Amino acid sequence: MPRFHPLEITDIRRETDSAVVLSLSPKSGDFSFAPGQYLTFRKEFEGAELRRCYSVCSTPEEGLKVGIKAVDGGVFSSFANRDLQIGDTLEAMPPMGSFGAKIAASNLGFAGGSGITPLLSIIKNSLQADDNASFILVYANRSVASTMFRDELQDLKDRFLNRFHVIHILEDNAQDIELFAGRLDAEKLEGLFKSWVNISAVEQAFICGPAPMMEVVKTGLLAHLEASRISIEQFLSDQPGRAAQKAVSLESAAPRGALQATVLLDGVSYEVPLDDETSVLQAALDAKLDAPYACRAGVCSTCKARLITGEVEMRANQALEDYEVEQGYILTCQSHAKTEKIVVDYDG
Ligand SMILES: Cc1cc2nc3c(=O)[nH]c(=O)nc-3n(C[C@H](O)[C@H](O)[C@H](O)COP(=O)(O)OP(=O)(O)OC[C@H]3O[C@@H](n4cnc5c(N)ncnc54)[C@H](O)[C@@H]3O)c2cc1C
Ligand code: FES
């Protein structure tokens, strides 16, 4: 089961006015990562613990780095941009996620805003690891000034002249080519496929960005590619900001119904009362178990466990692949018991 470990901040680079890149040196734990994976950080703000995920934006040779864009009123991202200093320590779980698992020879990426972070890691890794790999990146931002990793992408373009192409779509700035100005919508997407991207040659596509952009791109891509050739990473979070929920003790919790979960965690088995309106994760946290979680929205897979006995209804799943579901894995933050007794293994 993943655990939190201390990581020292060895460098902070201001990437744009509202984004920083942190270099991290783990003090314990195995933080080796695959391209496209993310770290889950935890930190207390005013006595309440927040957990936030940030994708690794580097290659293993460059060391562990994350890029954090400040969102208006966002607790963790504002803290990271404003308060963190070199030498400070953050706590994070080892890398997770499988966004970059399907890198092919001919790849197409769509990034919006801070959604560039996992794609940057995937792009650098694929171009360096395989001389035959190529990547086209369509990168949507508000303006040049708010574009993260603009210089690094330019350097990559110069280094991998024939294998890496980037198309910047800018909302606010007038571009010479009309297709590249404004928001990325269905019409623009088809325009790109007509003149700039040979979609029939694409083996794998990757999307990460704001929800509306991802929806448009996914729908547009599905007209050309099978669903299995489209990898999606969501940055959504269902976590409240400063009003983060504190764990409720068993004594003060509302009486639970007749449902029961046996939860295996760190080799120990616990009996946890349940009702069908409470997720398996919430029931475990209410019982004061240290079950892993981050987004609570079914997008990050940190709360993944294996269902050994019984049935659950998984209300959302943006993180598990079909084969993982077939193997019995569930997202406990989204799983509600459908049978009187379930057995869930966080260690499996
Ligand atoms: C797998 C994954 C990878 C990610 N990778 C990255 C990455 O590489 N880089 C990156 O920058 N981000 C990334 N994210 C997003 C990141 O985890 C955070 O969601 C983001 O930084 C915002 O967190 P926050 O604590 O700053 O904002 P929050 O405090 O969670 O606030 C988010 C928004 O909600 C509003 N809000 C907060 N609380 C309330 C409330 N009580 N009522 C009304 N509105 C409220 C805030 O004003 C703000 O606009 C990733 C997310 C996931 C799931
Ligand atoms: S906590 Fe992120 S998917 Fe459950």
Side-chain angles (χ1 to χ4, degrees):
M1 232 242 343
R3 287 271 160 241
F4 283 94
H5 297 272
L7 298 98
E8 188 188 330
I9 299 175
T10 55
D11 189 40
I12 301 178
R13 198 184 75 226
R14 183 139 290 285
E15 181 59 38
T16 67
D17 283 352
S18 61
V20 284
V21 176
L22 309 180
S23 299
L24 301 159
S25 169
K27 296 290 144 208
S28 62
D30 179 4
F31 278 78
S32 44
F33 61 90
Q37 287 196 307
Y38 63 87
L39 304 181
T40 304
F41 293 87
R42 76 170 170 196
K43 168 131 189 81
E44 273 203 10
F45 293 90
E46 296 179 353
E49 182 187 292
L50 292 194
R51 295 186 179 195
R52 295 291 181 264
C53 304
Y54 293 97
S55 304
V56 177
C57 59
S58 47
T59 60
E61 300 74 48
E62 293 167 339
L64 196 59
K65 294 183 192 200
V66 293
I68 304 182
K69 181 168 182 161
V71 299
D72 274 349
V75 178
F76 194 100
S77 62
S78 302
F79 154 79
N81 271 269
R82 191 188 50 221
D83 301 331
L84 278 176
Q85 308 271 345
I86 294 174
D88 286 352
T89 298
L90 283 172
E91 280 189 295
M93 282 192 226
M96 287 183 205
S98 54
F99 181 45
K102 291 186 179 167
I103 300 176
S106 170
N107 305 281
L108 170 64
F110 287 89
S114 59
I116 186 64
T117 49
L119 271 157
L120 184 63
S121 176
I122 289 172
I123 290 167
K124 287 189 284 193
N125 199 78
S126 66
L127 295 175
Q128 281 168 21
D130 179 358
D131 286 345
N132 294 315
S134 67
F135 223 109
I136 299 173
L137 172 68
V138 180
Y139 186 15
N141 278 285
R142 218 161 263 164
S143 64
V144 171
S146 68
T147 303
M148 292 171 76
F149 304 110
R150 195 176 167 84
D151 291 345
E152 192 169 346
L153 289 168
Q154 185 59 43
D155 290 348
L156 282 174
K157 225 171 105 176
D158 295 342
R159 190 171 152 205
F160 299 102
L161 260 185
N162 299 319
R163 298 199 285 130
F164 179 54
H165 302 278
V166 55
I167 296 170
H168 288 282
I169 310 272
L170 297 175
E171 222 175 282
D172 290 358
N173 297 57
Q175 296 252 71
D176 292 344
I177 298 169
E178 206 188 319
L179 190 62
F180 300 167
R183 273 181 188 242
L184 186 56
D185 56 17
E187 204 182 317
K188 246 185 228 317
L189 197 64
E190 274 310 310
L192 287 173
F193 294 159
K194 218 180 227 167
S195 322
W196 297 89
V197 176
N198 179 7
I199 188 70
S200 61
V202 170
E203 290 170 84
Q204 192 66 33
F206 299 85
I207 318 173
C208 185
M213 181 207 107
M214 298 218 290
E215 207 40 57
V216 163
V217 174
K218 185 181 155 196
T219 307
L221 281 174
L222 280 171
H224 301 271
L225 292 176
E226 283 169 32
S228 63
R229 293 186 178 275
I230 305 172
S231 304
I232 295 174
E233 183 77 319
Q234 305 251 16
F235 274 8
L236 289 176
S237 168
D238 203 21
Q239 296 250 62
R242 283 189 188 281
Q245 277 186 358
K246 291 190 179 137
V248 181
S249 75
L250 261 186
E251 288 74 37
S252 63
R256 293 260 150 96
L259 309 184
Q260 188 79 13
T262 301
V263 175
L264 303 167
L265 190 68
D266 281 339
V268 181
S269 144
Y270 302 88
E271 292 304 311
V272 174
L274 266 182
D275 61 62
D276 55 6
E277 273 316 299
T278 306
S279 71
V280 174
L281 172 70
Q282 190 57 53
L285 295 177
D286 289 350
K288 299 268 170 75
L289 304 191
D290 191 14
Y293 72 90
C295 73
R296 294 200 200 212
V299 303
C300 77
S301 83
T302 312
C303 65
K304 176 172 129 174
R306 196 195 275 264
L307 182 68
I308 307 289
T309 306
E311 270 180 58
V312 296
E313 179 195 353
M314 209 164 23
R315 296 193 177 165
N317 171 24
Q318 310 282 349
L320 296 179
E321 299 279 347
D322 290 348
Y323 74 88
E324 292 176 291
V325 175
E326 274 159 31
Q327 287 171 358
Y329 286 102
I330 58 170
L331 299 174
T332 55
C333 72
Q334 297 299 317
S335 294
H336 297 255
K338 281 179 70 188
T339 48
E340 219 168 86
K341 174 101 189 127
I342 60 168
V343 179
V344 171
D345 184 3
Y346 278 100
D347 304 326

